[in-house]
Amino acid sequence: MGDWFTREIADAGRLRLFCFFVAFIAAFLFIRFSVRMIRRQVRWWPGNVTPGGRHIHHVVFGLVFMCVGGVGGLAITDDSSGWAAGAAAVFGAGTALVLDEFALVLHLQDVYWSEQGRLSVEVVFIMIALCGLMLLGLRPLGVDDAAGDGLWGIAAVLLFNLCVAVIALLKGKVWTGVIGLFIGLVAIVGAIRLARPDSPWARRRYAEGSRKERRALTRERRYRLPVQRLGDRLSDLIAGRPSSKG
């Protein structure tokens, strides 16, 4: 394990990303455990931070951590030092706290325990996937594959990969588009296949009652909804089940 870490993480220049990744996951799991204990009103667990009766959401602490870790990381010149790794970890923890309340920031209201609050968990999972792919050595938009093709070749590859990934995202295929940023074939498949019926692409290009709209709706019921239910169960297991009361 030590040899692997030295070879794949430290020597490959991924130490800061690794520290960010580990701290991000640890902070997310901790804060979700904390809010679930608070939600259950467990007596032995500290409650919300409410100085003067004002509830301070953890996104505020996350912003502070991001500022400290971000500025600290910029000020450190040695990328492989322990200070650089520590700054990356602080930034990762702060990012987790902010993204855990992404839905609150987006809607500008406390939707943490509502169905809308699921968006925060989805964004966190996407961030974990992106960091994981980068730790595996993948680079977005096929940068490494096009490195030896000259300036115009690189530009063409980047533009093509970006376009197909954006099309996949417009078709409502978030995971396909995100993973497709790193694995171009996945984005191409997502760009070619039918859009989800509630996606921007479908609303603009699939006429009401058209064959494409009917096929999209059928595919949504047959394939997408079971996967969505499985994802919701996993989200509830880790982050807690939403409630209508919020």
Side-chain angles (χ1 to χ4, degrees):
M1 180 62 72
D3 292 339
W4 172 87
F5 183 86
T6 301
R7 182 180 66 255
E8 299 295 334
I9 302 299
D11 292 346
R14 300 175 191 145
L15 178 61
R16 290 183 299 169
L17 180 61
F18 177 81
C19 293
F20 174 94
F21 182 69
V22 172
F24 182 92
I25 294 177
F28 171 69
L29 294 177
F30 169 78
I31 199 61
R32 278 289 167 169
F33 175 80
S34 176
V35 295
R36 292 179 75 171
M37 293 297 100
I38 294 172
R39 189 187 192 189
R40 294 178 181 178
Q41 298 181 342
V42 177
R43 292 183 178 181
W44 53 268
W45 188 258
N48 292 313
V49 179
T50 56
R54 180 188 295 274
H55 178 197
I56 305 298
H57 290 272
H58 51 265
V59 65
V60 177
F61 299 100
L63 289 171
V64 174
F65 287 174
M66 288 182 70
C67 290
V68 173
V71 175
L74 291 173
I76 297 170
T77 57
D78 185 1
D79 296 343
S80 61
S81 68
W83 287 106
V90 172
F91 190 79
T95 304
L97 297 180
V98 170
L99 292 186
D100 187 57
E101 294 200 306
F102 179 86
L104 181 149
V105 176
L106 178 64
H107 295 284
L108 293 180
Q109 54 182 312
D110 193 350
V111 294
Y112 195 86
W113 290 118
S114 70
E115 284 292 332
Q116 293 171 312
R118 287 187 187 273
L119 177 61
S120 298
V121 184
E122 293 176 7
V123 170
V124 168
F125 286 173
I126 289 173
M127 175 61 77
I128 292 174
L130 290 174
C131 290
L133 289 171
M134 294 185 70
L135 276 175
L136 292 175
L138 298 178
R139 292 294 179 265
L141 302 178
V143 173
D144 292 341
D145 296 336
D149 295 338
L151 180 60
W152 289 108
I154 294 175
V157 170
L158 294 181
L159 182 61
F160 175 78
N161 290 341
L162 179 61
C163 286
V164 292
V166 169
I167 291 174
L169 291 171
L170 290 175
K171 287 189 171 185
K173 303 174 182 181
V174 177
W175 279 100
T176 301
V178 169
I179 296 176
L181 289 172
F182 294 84
I183 306 174
L185 181 60
V186 174
I188 293 173
V189 172
I192 293 174
R193 293 176 64 83
L194 280 173
R196 296 187 62 193
D198 59 345
S199 66
W201 185 278
R203 289 196 298 268
R204 289 292 298 265
R205 301 180 65 89
Y206 296 173
E208 186 175 354
S210 66
R211 181 171 177 269
K212 282 189 174 181
E213 184 189 46
R214 293 195 300 271
R215 288 178 58 202
L217 289 169
T218 300
R219 182 168 295 177
E220 183 81 2
R221 290 192 298 267
R222 185 175 298 173
Y223 302 112
R224 173 65 185 180
L225 291 182
V227 174
Q228 182 66 49
R229 286 194 289 267
L230 180 61
D232 289 344
R233 292 193 188 101
L234 177 61
S235 173
D236 294 346
L237 178 65
I238 297 174
R241 185 186 300 275
S243 64
S244 59
K245 295 181 180 180

